[in-house]
Amino acid sequence: MERLTIIGAGSWGSALGKIASDNSHQVIMYDQSEEIVSEINRFHTNKTKLPVGKLNDNVKATTDLKEAIAYSDIILLVVPTSVIRIVLKEINQVITSKKLFVNASKGLEPNTFKRVSEIVTEEINSDYLEGFVALSGPSHAEEVILGMLTLLTSTSPNLSHAQLIQRIFSNQSYFRVYTLADLVGVEICSSLKNIIALASGIIAGLGYGDNTRAALITRGLVEIKRIACKLGADEKTIFGLAGLGDLIVTCTSTHSRNFQAGYKIGSGKNLEQALSEMTMVVEGARSAIAAHQLIARFNIYAPIIETVYDIIYNKFEPKERIIKLMQNDLKEEDL
Ligand SMILES: NC(=O)c1ccc[n+]([C@@H]2O[C@H](COP(=O)([O-])OP(=O)(O)OC[C@H]3O[C@@H](n4cnc5c(N)ncnc54)[C@H](O)[C@@H]3O)[C@@H](O)[C@H]2O)c1
């Protein structure tokens, strides 16, 4: 039995807490929201973030970061990537022993293009950094909390770290975890797929159908491959659970916050209106800035990602901008 600390008791943090406690591990969840912490401790629910399902009675929550960090040697990061650097700085103030950091958040930092593993290395004193694992794959909290079959990858250059997280989260009834070593590939794929999910929502909001969505997923995957491989990813990772798997679920499921936000934009709302109607984080909007900068820096051809950027930040009219994609030069299908 292991002890786990989960930083961020939102929908995904709560679902991960449920799996770990179902698997007989001891879990403490940290969140800045007193309301969420109190609801988890009193009622074992988290209705704002995760309206369905229930946490196990033994999952505790706290607003005390020092207590949460001291509780275990495994720290799961499940806060929005926009606050990860801030939260890591806070953790670095209270950490007193070596910890394995596991990231389950999905996004890239604008301007620096840093992946979460790189931010952890920058912010956590190396004396206290045991290693880093990315836990990623097609997974909506709403399904996991209800015990629906889900498969993820636990990725680390250090196989024993990846295997430790694989063992903690795997069970024989609903959750299965593979290991992988390609951290760059997994972190890039899991960030970029949210931008394609925004596009998927936009085309759905515009009234396009399944043909369009299938084409978008396929061509979106090619763009993800171009960017990820340029940054050093193993091409095989693109077709794995954290690549194609996560892309499919996030582009096709109404649980996807990125899809939902895209749908609102396709239906005529601007980004600010769409985000103000969401109670959970929409990572694709922020990752689109980082991807737009990356594309320019490395001169990568990624027209779908650029289209999303133009619609949400340059206020292009969605339908016109999508139709413009159809007017690109005719050519061979480059894969
Ligand atoms: N929801 C899912 O199904 C799912 C699945 C896989 C990955 N993810 C990823 O997990 C990450 C979190 O997503 P989510 O859906 O759980 O978001 P969420 O909005 O439900 O929860 C985020 C939580 O972080 C807390 N938080 C925000 N800033 C904080 C701070 N400075 N200090 C402490 N706590 C803070 C919030 O109070 C909230 O409870 C995202 O990167 C998302 O892409 C989500």
Side-chain angles (χ1 to χ4, degrees), residues 274-300:
L275 294 185
S276 71
E277 291 174 16
M278 309 288 299
T279 53
M280 282 157 281
V281 61
V282 178
E283 291 277 16
R286 189 167 178 270
S287 289
I289 301 173
H292 170 72
Q293 294 166 335
L294 261 174
I295 287 164
R297 164 83 64 90
F298 294 105
N299 195 20
I300 301 166

Side-chain angles (χ1 to χ4, degrees), residues 10-12 31-32 36 49 105-106 139 141 257 280-281 283:
S11 58
W12 191 221
D31 204 284
Q32 66 177 9
I36 288 178
K49 296 293 188 181
S105 303
K106 298 173 177 175
S139 47
R257 294 93 175 99
M280 282 157 281
V281 61
E283 291 277 16

Side-chain angles (χ1 to χ4, degrees), residues 2-54:
E2 298 282 349
R3 282 176 159 223
L4 292 187
T5 295
I6 298 182
I7 304 293
S11 58
W12 191 221
S14 298
L16 288 171
K18 167 81 162 56
I19 308 163
S21 69
D22 279 352
N23 294 353
S24 303
H25 302 294
Q26 290 182 336
V27 177
I28 195 162
M29 309 214 303
Y30 161 80
D31 204 284
Q32 66 177 9
S33 161
E34 286 185 11
E35 213 180 318
I36 288 178
V37 165
S38 157
E39 186 186 334
I40 291 172
N41 287 334
R42 290 178 66 201
F43 305 112
H44 316 293
T45 57
N46 188 352
K47 294 282 182 211
T48 334
K49 296 293 188 181
L50 198 47
V52 292
K54 215 168 180 275

Side-chain angles (χ1 to χ4, degrees), residues 43 84 141 143 152 161 180 193 219 243 307 309 323-324:
F43 305 112
I84 275 209
E143 295 189 1
L152 294 193
H161 289 158
L180 208 61
K193 59 98 193 178
R219 296 308 299 166
T307 298
Y309 183 87
I323 288 294
K324 199 160 168 275

Side-chain angles (χ1 to χ4, degrees), residues 118-334:
E118 296 174 300
I119 303 175
V120 168
T121 309
E122 284 179 1
E123 298 299 340
I124 299 296
N125 181 334
S126 57
D127 291 345
Y128 300 138
L129 184 55
E130 174 69 29
F132 183 89
V133 175
L135 187 61
S136 189
S139 47
H140 287 308
E142 293 83 350
E143 295 189 1
V144 168
I145 197 92
L146 298 177
M148 295 191 187
L149 308 193
T150 301
L151 279 65
L152 294 193
T153 56
S154 165
T155 306
S156 176
N158 180 321
L159 181 61
S160 64
H161 289 158
Q163 286 173 332
L164 173 64
I165 300 308
Q166 176 185 47
R167 282 195 303 276
I168 289 175
F169 283 97
S170 293
N171 57 46
Q172 294 186 349
S173 54
Y174 71 93
F175 211 79
R176 182 171 168 79
V177 182
Y178 293 89
T179 61
L180 208 61
D182 180 17
L183 201 48
V184 175
V186 165
E187 289 189 282
I188 297 292
C189 285
S190 57
S191 305
L192 298 181
K193 59 98 193 178
N194 284 329
I195 310 169
I196 309 299
L198 277 168
S200 182
I202 291 171
I203 58 164
L206 286 170
Y208 293 113
D210 296 342
N211 297 351
T212 322
R213 183 179 302 167
L216 174 81
I217 292 172
T218 312
R219 296 308 299 166
L221 190 70
V222 173
E223 293 189 16
I224 291 174
K225 185 188 83 172
R226 282 188 197 129
I227 298 171
C229 290
K230 185 81 187 174
L231 296 175
D234 179 343
E235 194 173 325
K236 292 201 290 290
T237 304
I238 318 298
F239 303 99
L241 289 165
L244 179 60
D246 209 355
L247 182 66
I248 291 173
V249 81
T250 199
C251 285
T252 59
S253 167
T254 48
H255 291 312
S256 162
R257 294 93 175 99
N258 293 280
F259 179 91
Q260 289 171 18
Y263 190 90
K264 291 173 196 292
I265 293 165
S267 311
K269 297 191 168 147
N270 63 33
L271 180 66
E272 293 70 34
Q273 289 167 329
L275 294 185
S276 71
E277 291 174 16
M278 309 288 299
T279 53
M280 282 157 281
V281 61
V282 178
E283 291 277 16
R286 189 167 178 270
S287 289
I289 301 173
H292 170 72
Q293 294 166 335
L294 261 174
I295 287 164
R297 164 83 64 90
F298 294 105
N299 195 20
I300 301 166
Y301 184 58
I304 297 170
I305 292 175
E306 286 295 58
T307 298
V308 172
Y309 183 87
D310 276 347
I311 292 171
I312 62 180
Y313 293 112
N314 291 330
K315 312 284 184 216
F316 279 53
E317 206 279 311
K319 183 143 194 175
E320 267 175 33
R321 187 62 182 83
I322 301 267
I323 288 294
K324 199 160 168 275
L325 279 174
M326 297 298 286
Q327 296 163 355
N328 284 345
D329 289 345
L330 295 177
K331 57 181 182 179
E332 189 183 346
E333 185 182 8
D334 48 340

